[in-house]
C-alpha cells in the first residue's frame, strides 16, 4: 500500500526505502559482492558436503599414504589434492571440514549476538543498577585473553562440539553488548522514543519494538566481523588438540596433522590453511562492505 498523494511516507515505507538504498550501496561494491560469493560457495560446500565430496573423508588406505596432488609426479586425478598420512582424501576432508568451521561460527554468533543484544538493550535503556552490573561484567571478561579464556573453559568442560560453542559464546557476547548499549544510549533520547513513552508504551515495548529495529544494522555488521574471528579461534583450538576431536574433519586439526610432513608432503597442511585464509578474508571483506553500506556516517 502506498501513501496518499501529498502525505509523507509511512514509517514502514521509509524503512524499506532505507534498506533498499543500503542493499543497492552494497551491490555497487564489486569486491564485497565477490567476497560474499566466496562465502556463499563455502556455505554450499558445507550444506551439501555428503553429495559433493568425491570420497569418504574417514576412509583410510595406507597404500595411498601421502599421495601427492594430481598435478605432481605420482599423483592420481581421483584424489585431486592428494592424501594425508592415513591415506584419507584431502579434498573430501576439506569439504567436510567447512561444515565444522561454519557451524561453530554461526552457532556462536547467534547465541552471543542474542545474549549481547538483550543485555545491551537492558543496560543502555534501564541504566542504574542493571547498567552497572552488565558493564562491570563486560569489563571483567574483556580482561581475559580470548584464546586463553576459551582453553581454560574447555579444559574444565572437556573438548567437543557443544563445549566449544559454549566456551566461545561465554565471552563473545561482550562485544555486541557494548555496541548495542552505546546505540541504545543514543536512541533513548530520540523524539520517537519520547513519543512512545508519552503514549504509555512499556519499557519492554520501547526496547524491543522501538529501539531494537533501529539499531540492527550495526549489530549485523559486528556479528559478521566476529564470525571470521570465531572461525580462527575454533581452528586454533583444533590445532592444539582441544577442539573438534578426531576422526571428525576439522581444518585446524588437518593443519596440525601435516606439521610433521611440511617438507615432504606440504599439501596436507597447506590446503586447509589456504581454506581458512580464503574464508576468513572473504568474510572480512564482505563485512567491510556491509559496514560501508549500512553505516550512514560512511555513505557517499
Amino acid at each position: 500500500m502506498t501513501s496518499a498523494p501529498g502525505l509523507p511516507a509511512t514509517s514502514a515505507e521509509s524503512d524499506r526505502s532505507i534498506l533498499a538504498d543500503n542493499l543497492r550501496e552494497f551491490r555497487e561494491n564489486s569486491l564485497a559482492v565477490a567476497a560474499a560469493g566466496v562465502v556463499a560457495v563455502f556455505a554450499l560446500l558445507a550444506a551439501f558436503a555428503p553429495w559433493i565430496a568425491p570420497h569418504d573423508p574417514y576412509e583410510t588406505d595406507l597404500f595411498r599414504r601421502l599421495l601427492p596432488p594430481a598435478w605432481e609426479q605420482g599423483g592420481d586425478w581421483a584424489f585431486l589434492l592428494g592424501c594425508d598420512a592415513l591415506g584419507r582424501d584431502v579434498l573430501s576432508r576439506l569439504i567436510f571440514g567447512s561444515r565444522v568451521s561454519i557451524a561453530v561460527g554461526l552457532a556462536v554468533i547467534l547465541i552471543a549476538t542474542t545474549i549481547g543484544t538483550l543485555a545491551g538493550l537492558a543496560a543502555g535503556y534501564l541504566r542504574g543498577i542493571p547498567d552497572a552490573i552488565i558493564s562491570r561484567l563486560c569489563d571483567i571478561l574483556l580482561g581475559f585473553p580470548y584464546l586463553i579464556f576459551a582453553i581454560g573453559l574447555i579444559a574444565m568442560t572437556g573438548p567437543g562440539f557443544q563445549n566449544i560453542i559454549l566456551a566461545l559464546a561465554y565471552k563473545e557476547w561482550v562485544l555486541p553488548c557494548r555496541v548495542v548499549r552505546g546505540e541504545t544510549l543514543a536512541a533513548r533520547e530520540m523524539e520517537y522514543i519520547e513519543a512512545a513513552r508519552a503514549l504509555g508504551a512499556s519499557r519492554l515495548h520501547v526496547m524491543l519494538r522501538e529501539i531494537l529495529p533501529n539499531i540492527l544494522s550495526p549489530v549485523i555488521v559486528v556479528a559478521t566481523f566476529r564470525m571470521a574471528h570465531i572461525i580462527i579461534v575454533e581452528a586454533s583450538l583444533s590445532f592444539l588438540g582441544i577442539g573438534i576431536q578426531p576422526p571428525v574433519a576439522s581444518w585446524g586439526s588437518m593443519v596440525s596433522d601435516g606439521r610433521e610432513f611440511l617438507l615432504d608432503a606440504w599439501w596436507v597442511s597447506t590446503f586447509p590453511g589456504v581454506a581458512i585464509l580464503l574464508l576468513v578474508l572473504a568474510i572480512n571483506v564482505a563485512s567491510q562492505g556491509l559496514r560501508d553500506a549500512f553505516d550512514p556516517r560512511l555513505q557517499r
Side-chain angles (χ1 to χ4, degrees):
M1 179 181 296
T2 60
S3 57
L7 295 178
T10 64
S11 176
E13 291 171 342
S14 177
D15 291 342
R16 285 194 296 268
S17 176
I18 294 173
L19 178 60
D21 291 341
N22 292 337
L23 292 177
R24 183 167 56 251
E25 184 82 14
F26 179 78
R27 289 195 298 268
E28 291 176 357
N29 188 336
S30 57
L31 183 60
V33 172
V38 173
V39 176
V41 169
F42 275 103
L44 290 174
L45 288 176
F48 300 102
W51 297 275
I52 296 176
H55 302 281
D56 183 348
Y58 309 116
E59 180 185 356
T60 61
D61 186 347
L62 294 181
F63 289 105
R64 301 195 303 257
R65 185 177 187 271
L66 299 180
L67 183 73
W71 58 85
E72 289 203 348
Q73 184 178 4
D76 186 346
W77 285 101
F79 301 92
L80 184 62
L81 301 184
C83 297
D84 63 9
L86 296 178
R88 297 173 296 190
D89 180 44
V90 171
L91 177 58
S92 298
R93 291 181 64 78
L94 275 179
I95 294 173
F96 272 82
S98 65
R99 309 185 92 183
V100 172
S101 295
I102 293 177
V104 170
L106 285 176
V108 171
I109 289 301
L110 287 175
I111 295 172
T113 302
T114 300
I115 295 174
T117 299
L118 295 176
L121 278 172
Y125 187 78
L126 299 178
R127 303 299 302 276
I129 295 178
D131 185 22
I133 294 175
I134 294 173
S135 297
R136 295 297 77 75
L137 181 58
C138 290
D139 293 338
I140 292 172
L141 290 176
L142 285 174
F144 293 93
Y146 200 116
L147 185 59
I148 296 177
F149 187 81
I151 291 174
L153 287 179
I154 294 176
M156 291 187 294
T157 60
F161 186 80
Q162 294 180 348
N163 289 343
I164 289 177
I165 292 175
L166 293 177
L168 296 181
Y170 195 86
K171 184 180 177 183
E172 183 60 31
W173 66 272
V174 171
L175 186 58
C177 175
R178 292 171 70 93
V179 171
V180 171
R181 177 183 178 274
E183 296 289 336
T184 303
L185 286 174
R188 72 192 300 270
E189 306 299 333
M190 301 294 289
E191 293 181 355
Y192 70 94
I193 299 299
E194 295 291 342
R197 284 198 289 255
L199 291 173
S202 65
R203 289 189 289 186
L204 185 62
H205 174 90
V206 172
M207 287 189 290
L208 298 181
R209 299 295 299 274
E210 303 295 339
I211 296 178
L212 181 59
N214 289 282
I215 63 173
L216 278 181
S217 293
V219 173
I220 294 173
V221 173
V222 169
T224 309
F225 264 116
R226 295 301 296 176
M227 183 173 175
H229 179 72
I230 294 299
I231 291 174
I232 292 177
V233 174
E234 182 278 320
S236 301
L237 293 173
S238 297
F239 178 84
L240 295 173
I242 58 175
I244 302 299
Q245 297 299 294
V248 178
S250 168
W251 288 346
S253 60
M254 291 177 68
V255 174
S256 178
D257 292 341
R259 285 181 298 172
E260 303 176 14
F261 315 104
L262 283 176
L263 296 179
D264 300 324
W266 56 268
W267 55 89
V268 179
S269 287
T270 300
F271 290 126
V274 170
I276 295 171
L277 171 64
L278 286 177
L279 180 56
V280 170
L281 180 62
I283 292 175
N284 282 333
V285 173
S287 58
Q288 181 76 28
L290 284 175
R291 192 197 69 168
D292 294 344
F294 282 83
D295 192 339
R297 294 168 293 185
L298 300 177
Q299 297 283 332
R300 290 196 299 269

